[in-house]
Amino acid sequence: MTIHTPTTPPCTPETTVEIRVRGCVQGVGFRPTVWQLANRLALVGEVLNDGEGVLIRAAGPRERLESLIERLKRDPPPLAQITDIEVRSGLAPLHRVGFTIVDSLEGATRTDIAVDAAICAACTEEILSQHQRRSGYALTNCTHCGPRLSIIRDMPYDRAATTMADFALCECCRAEYLDPGDRRFHAEPIACPACGPQVRLVALDDGPWLAGEDALETRTESSLEAPIDQAAALIRQGQILAIKGLGGYQLACDATSTEALERLRRLKHRPTRPLALMAKDLEMVRRYCRLDELEQRALCSAAAPIVLLERRRDEAPGRPLAEALAPGLDGLGVMLPSTPLHVLLCHRLPFPIVMTSGNVSGEPQLIDDGQLADRLSTIASHALTHDRAIARRIDDSLVQLAAGKVRMLRRARGYAPASLPLPPGFEDISPGLALGPQQKATFCLVDGQRAILSPHQGDLDDAATLDDYERNLDDFLTLYDHRPAWLACDSHPDYRTSDMARHMARHMARRMADDAGLPLDAIGHHHAHIAACLADNGYPRDAAPVLGIALDGLGLGEDGGLWGGEFLIADYRHCQRLGSLKSVAMPGAGTASREPWRNLLAQLIAGPGLAALKRRHPNLGVLKRLQQKPIDTLSGMIEAGINSPLASSCGRLFDAVAAALELCFDRQHHEGEAAMALEALAARALTPTPSPTSRTPGALAAYPFALHREQGGHRILDPAPMWTALFDDLAAGKDASLIAARFHLGLAKGLGEVVGEVVGEMLDDVVGDMQDDALDEVSNDHARRLSSTRNVEAVALSGGCFHNRTLLELTLKCLAPLPVRVLTHRQVPANDGGIALGQALIAAARRHPLASDQASDSPTSAISTISTTTTVPSIATVTTATTASNNAQETAHVSGNSRTDHFPR
């Protein structure tokens, strides 16, 4: 947090100051807090919301004004996040009596929008009490909890600008709203059974809204909780229900009922992907899962995310959880009730319930009440709903504890769109927009103060999700009044977001009256991964480059090939590939991502040779199973290079090892299924009982990986020797968990070996250069060159493979002895969910070079630019790397921008 205080004129004994507070300060009870503090300090003045945040005008003795600022800094409201306090003094006297909250001022939005917050302890106690005005009321809230982003229609944040605008306050609620001593003082979504939204239970087979007994009238006290009672009864009977949550509809059923879960999976078209569950309280969570203190804090936080926990195999007495929750896995995604409706429902059930997104797999989560019957009646028999509209979809967030820290896997409800601070050096950039990747899509708005990373949007292969992404992007640009001066997208020309960026730029150009030009940068996928990790760690823009390790499924590389296991020297502007996992064919191209056996075949052909392994182990079951596949046809495709692109993909390597252990051998039903099953096996061998907070390799021997150089110095980490050892273990009947663990450890040690070699060589180069220059005066320019291009001081780990807790923790252990700082993700996902942030900062750094950047652009620099953009007035030339079979250069003619109607319809 930054505090700017005036140097002149000084505060007089009785003076007036203007205090500007920025950050997440609207919709979190900030104005009531200021009011209460000001009155305790006997100050006069006013406080209001405007487009920049909260503005305070106050008059009084200097020491009391200073006390106000100090208390705001020390004890802000629970949901507030202050990023900046600016104080101006020496203003004209305020002719006021007392201190008041005044109406908001409209203007360009420069403040953060508050995230939705889980129900607080006070509201929970209130609704469960038998003697409170809001007993049993499922839509209560206060200044410390409840809906924010999901109900906002415009800024500044006032009731009239939310979906609560149609609900006029009753006298009792209005009295609370105006009472400074009440925790609902100026709580914008305030409501009660007499004046607020109402809950009803709807039978979906006859339509979304019914008359008579099916649509329960809840305006009377006697029927207030009847819909929830009936909903709980239906779940106990094995029914699937749709439930309206904060950011969309959810599907719920009994988590102990195998029949209900199997029916849910069949109807939702989700055969194997893990399902999250909701438990009434921590006691119920501990009955089924091991719980670390940090995991408990995450569960109980205002964000209330889904937390990945280790499942207990010694469950407490009672109803056991169905194995169908997470087939083949030892982890469970668990959350606590986040809304009053969830609390009231869970307190009526003696067991956890499945709580998954309200949609058919692949589609966006439902938020529109009018589509309830059309979209969910084939899955759910009833819907527990209410008449408070949802302004925008927000999925549940997902976190896990790994290497002693809680890490983001999916950033959404409770976390997004809270702003992310920019690393030092980005203070003077112009506003920009990055459109993110194709999978796990997000977009990112950035200016000189902050980065706004959108909530998780989903995979854009689905047309409905793409439409939803476009609506949400248009919504955010309008809500934040964000007018980008440049755009950034992935370098893959066929990504939906890349195509969208080109069309968006053209559309904006047509709506502008000037010819200023709107540049469009195509950013390398893995460079963006590393930049996102740097930003997550606040890594300064002018710091030395890092050695980035980017491990994921696939992304387009600089050379037009498919990358996914990369060693990169990178900063925010430049990126150079130093090495990679060995590139291996993907027979069938995209089909290989879905059928792990194809990757196993390709790895064996590229490594020890399939024929050699068959001679060595003629009776091995997995090889016999492989023989039943069309391996001759695929071998010919690989040899001829037909529909078998080479890829240095770590994700496909995991698929191949999983297939060797006959995990998801024929097919994966969802992304990462084989790798998740493989990690679960490895964890069983690496984790003693009781479970510690991290994996330990113990006395296990790692499988060998070879490290060698190609012509030109490109390092190759080759798994070929690993395959021989792995198949020897299979033939010897070694336990599958031991084999999985040895693979994880071998890969982690291989990564450490590459880092050790690179860092060692760079240190040798620095020492050699310093000795050569010992008799000469080392110029500042030369010293800067050594620092910026050779001396790697940090290693950055990014890419979706580092969501594998076992791989991350083993890699950190292998890197620990090296003289480098290791940067990992925490606030931003390591997977493609963080790509948009990385794209934004790379494009911003290139658009606004620092003076020190000129040295790194010199011919002596060891870092080259992976993707560049050439811009002339009214024309942005976008150079993108494409597949080797179709190298191309695209030119988009764009100029200017527009605030609204960002997408052609």
Side-chain angles (χ1 to χ4, degrees), residues 112-424:
D112 282 6
I113 295 174
V115 300
D116 296 296
I119 182 172
C120 67
C123 285
T124 299
E125 181 181 359
E126 188 177 53
I127 63 172
L128 295 178
S129 169
Q130 298 299 313
H131 308 291
Q132 298 283 340
R133 191 165 71 89
R134 291 182 177 84
S135 296
Y137 184 54
L139 290 146
T140 191
N141 58 82
C142 69
T143 56
H144 305 316
C145 70
R148 300 296 192 274
L149 177 67
S150 61
I151 64 170
I152 292 173
R153 286 180 168 148
D154 202 358
M155 291 292 285
Y157 177 69
D158 287 308
R159 188 181 183 91
T162 72
T163 60
M164 289 295 294
D166 294 335
F167 297 94
L169 294 177
C170 66
E171 290 186 8
C172 292
C173 285
R174 182 170 296 280
E176 292 170 326
Y177 184 86
L178 297 175
D179 180 2
D182 197 285
R183 76 175 193 279
R184 294 187 171 89
F185 183 44
H186 277 259
E188 303 303 341
I190 184 175
C192 76
C195 65
Q198 302 297 310
V199 172
R200 65 178 72 187
L201 186 70
V202 176
L204 293 182
D205 53 358
D206 293 328
W209 303 110
L210 302 178
E213 295 180 358
D214 289 318
L216 297 174
E217 187 62 43
T218 59
R219 292 285 171 179
T220 62
E221 183 177 346
S222 61
S223 64
L224 181 64
E225 299 182 67
I228 304 172
D229 289 334
Q230 293 192 12
L234 289 167
I235 291 176
R236 285 194 296 269
Q237 293 168 12
Q239 296 296 317
I240 301 168
L241 265 64
I243 297 176
K244 193 172 186 180
L246 271 177
Y249 277 91
Q250 299 163 308
L251 294 169
C253 69
D254 180 356
T256 67
S257 169
T258 298
E259 188 279 329
L261 259 72
E262 290 178 347
R263 182 157 39 89
L264 174 62
R265 287 191 174 283
R266 184 176 67 254
L267 296 175
K268 188 176 164 66
H269 304 159
R270 187 171 177 166
T272 58
R273 186 186 293 271
L275 295 167
L277 61 87
M278 180 176 285
K280 179 182 71 172
D281 51 28
L282 290 174
E283 180 182 355
M284 183 176 283
V285 174
R286 291 192 184 95
R287 190 183 307 167
Y288 299 102
C289 299
R290 301 185 186 279
L291 192 58
D292 180 271
E293 180 181 351
L294 292 177
E295 292 167 333
Q296 178 176 321
R297 289 182 193 174
L299 280 170
C300 298
S301 69
I306 300 170
V307 182
L308 288 186
L309 301 176
E310 183 181 350
R311 183 171 182 172
R312 297 176 65 101
R313 291 301 170 183
D314 55 342
E315 291 181 2
R319 299 174 63 160
L321 295 175
E323 290 297 325
L325 269 173
L329 304 180
D330 293 331
L332 292 174
V334 181
M335 57 182 153
L336 294 177
S338 57
T339 71
L341 183 59
H342 290 134
V343 169
L344 292 168
L345 178 63
C346 288
H347 272 75
R348 287 164 165 77
L349 297 169
F351 48 77
I353 55 177
V354 169
M355 194 65 71
T356 187
S357 57
N359 60 320
V360 173
S361 287
E363 296 180 356
Q365 186 178 19
L366 177 67
I367 64 171
D368 186 352
D369 298 326
Q371 298 179 14
L372 189 52
D374 290 340
R375 289 187 52 188
L376 296 184
S377 62
T378 58
I379 305 176
S381 63
H382 293 74
L384 187 61
T385 186
H386 55 77
D387 49 351
R388 184 181 71 203
I390 299 173
R392 59 189 57 78
R393 173 176 63 89
I394 310 167
D395 291 301
D396 292 320
S397 292
L398 177 63
V399 303
Q400 73 168 348
L401 178 65
K405 297 177 180 178
V406 175
R407 301 176 189 274
M408 193 71 61
L409 304 184
R410 182 173 66 220
R411 189 172 183 268
R413 177 183 54 77
Y415 296 99
S419 66
L420 298 165
L422 296 179

Side-chain angles (χ1 to χ4, degrees), residues 9 57 89 96 106 182 187 378 475 539 542 556 589 598 630 697 873 885:
R57 298 187 182 99
S89 64
R96 287 183 174 274
E106 294 186 0
D182 197 285
T378 58
D475 173 40
Y539 196 76
D542 60 356
L556 192 66
R598 293 173 180 259
S885 61

Side-chain angles (χ1 to χ4, degrees), residues 708-776:
H708 56 83
R709 297 280 189 101
E710 288 186 338
Q711 188 175 4
H714 182 81
R715 293 169 176 82
I716 295 294
L717 186 61
D718 188 351
M722 180 271 299
W723 287 111
T724 301
L726 186 151
F727 272 81
D728 286 347
D729 278 353
L730 282 175
K734 296 291 181 65
D735 188 80
S737 64
L738 175 69
I739 295 173
R742 292 189 68 189
F743 163 69
H744 278 78
L745 184 56
L747 178 56
K749 286 193 171 182
L751 299 177
E753 186 178 353
V754 175
V755 174
E757 181 180 287
V758 172
V759 171
E761 289 182 0
M762 290 185 172
L763 290 174
D764 289 343
D765 286 346
V766 170
V767 171
D769 280 338
M770 294 298 288
Q771 290 174 344
D772 291 341
D773 293 332
L775 300 179
D776 301 323

